[in-house]
Amino acid sequence: MTTILSTKGLHKHFGGVLAVNDVNAEFKAKRLRSIIGPNGAGKTTFINVITGRLPASSGAVLFGNQDITNQPAHRLVRLGICRTFQITSIFMGLTVFENVRIAAQSNIGGSLKIFSARESLKEVNAKTWETLDRIGLKDKARIPSNNLAHGDQRLLEVAMALAGDPKILFLDEPTAGMSPAETEHIAELIKGLTETVAVVLVEHDMDVVMSISDEITVLNQGSVIAEGPPREIQNNEMVKEAYLGHA
Ligand SMILES: Nc1ncnc2c1ncn2[C@@H]1O[C@H](COP(=O)(O)OP(=O)(O)O)[C@@H](O)[C@H]1O
Ligand SMILES: [Mg+2]
């Protein structure tokens, strides 16, 4: 299985706090790897360093064999390394369709300069409808984004990231604030994304993690304390300790 992206001895500290401590991870094509761990374990920081939102303190991020450590986020997006937009980056006054189209356009606009404006508009619209269909938002395409339920706004974030044709997609707590029914729906959808994309999921809902992950990485105080398929992680003593907090 092809490794899309990996980290080598990655470190990130904030003053005296070692938020990411010597993490070696491999993300493979069309696989879903979840990253779990207690609050403050370094999950978000790890993703922020990989996706160019924060500089690494030391270590490397490799995209295939290419060293991409500390490249700006927009360049990483062009390579296909994407993370979900935060809800705050949705244009609330625009419709669902318009938001996804903007995301599709920023990708296709760059790569299809050889086509005429008219052809590229057709291409962007087709990509937008395809993405909405995949995420199940087609019926809500014409709804202003601020009229969407919270769960649908989170789906829209995923759609916007997907419209950029990522090779690897990082999702940070996509089920936060969702109802159980919404959670079940997005979990299925996230699993389906692995037909085309490597997915890295930070998630606190253990039912979701255990049911859809191929592999799980457990972080505790910035370090990887366990790695493996769900069944192995579920029975791992160190993981139980880190979560239950007794030594
Ligand atoms: N911008 C920041 N400045 C200083 N400390 C930070 C910053 N971001 C995160 N931290 C600290 O780094 C550690 C890891 O945080 P974080 O990556 O948010 O953990 P998680 O996502 O696993 O809950 C925590 O101790 C947190 O307080
Ligand atoms: Mg976090």
Side-chain angles (χ1 to χ4, degrees):
M1 191 76 65
T2 327
T3 298
I4 300 251
L5 188 145
S6 55
T7 65
K8 307 279 181 210
L10 198 67
H11 288 82
K12 174 69 189 178
H13 55 80
F14 298 106
V17 176
L18 203 44
V20 176
N21 185 10
D22 194 25
V23 174
N24 298 293
E26 280 198 7
F27 304 107
K28 295 186 188 299
K30 303 186 182 182
R31 303 284 282 180
L32 196 159
R33 180 178 288 275
S34 289
I35 300 175
I36 64 171
N39 259 339
K43 305 179 296 293
T44 297
T45 304
F46 181 54
I47 288 186
N48 281 339
V49 172
I50 292 176
T51 57
R53 269 64 176 183
L54 282 173
S57 300
S58 64
V61 182
L62 303 180
F63 183 60
N65 293 322
Q66 187 184 355
D67 189 332
I68 54 158
T69 320
N70 298 339
Q71 299 253 343
H74 66 87
R75 193 170 302 163
L76 298 178
V77 169
R78 285 246 179 269
L79 289 174
I81 302 163
C82 298
R83 61 171 302 162
T84 39
F85 292 76
Q86 298 301 304
I87 281 183
T88 48
S89 75
I90 295 175
F91 296 105
M92 288 297 176
L94 299 183
T95 65
V96 169
F97 183 88
E98 286 163 341
N99 269 292
V100 176
R101 191 178 57 187
I102 288 168
Q105 200 155 25
S106 57
N107 188 45
I108 293 175
S111 59
L112 292 183
K113 287 229 169 71
I114 44 167
F115 293 118
S116 68
R118 192 188 181 136
E119 274 174 292
S120 79
L121 184 66
K122 250 168 81 181
E123 187 84 12
V124 168
N125 281 338
K127 183 75 199 170
T128 303
W129 282 118
E130 178 202 314
T131 306
L132 288 171
D133 192 30
R134 197 164 171 197
I135 300 297
L137 284 175
K138 215 172 168 180
D139 294 345
K140 296 176 178 151
R142 300 299 177 197
I143 295 179
S145 303
N146 55 355
N147 290 354
L148 287 179
H150 175 78
D152 283 338
Q153 287 182 351
R154 309 241 37 185
L155 286 176
L156 177 54
E157 290 176 41
V158 177
M160 289 167 72
L162 202 60
D165 259 340
K167 293 194 168 58
I168 182 165
L169 179 58
F170 292 83
L171 304 168
D172 195 355
E173 310 227 2
T175 71
M178 284 192 169
S179 70
E182 287 172 333
T183 297
E184 198 175 317
H185 176 62
I186 199 170
E188 243 170 70
L189 212 141
I190 288 168
K191 183 68 181 174
L193 298 181
T194 58
E195 278 170 28
T196 56
V197 184
V199 178
V200 184
L201 174 68
V202 171
E203 180 55 53
H204 63 268
D205 185 321
M206 282 306 123
D207 290 341
V208 170
V209 168
M210 293 302 165
S211 64
I212 69 174
S213 305
D214 296 307
E215 304 276 332
I216 299 172
T217 296
V218 188
L219 284 182
N220 191 34
Q221 296 181 12
S223 301
V224 176
I225 59 164
E227 209 171 18
R231 186 169 306 199
E232 237 170 70
I233 295 301
Q234 229 159 0
N235 298 317
N236 182 298
E237 288 306 320
M238 269 166 80
V239 175
K240 287 184 198 166
E241 267 175 32
Y243 271 98
L244 300 175
H246 49 70

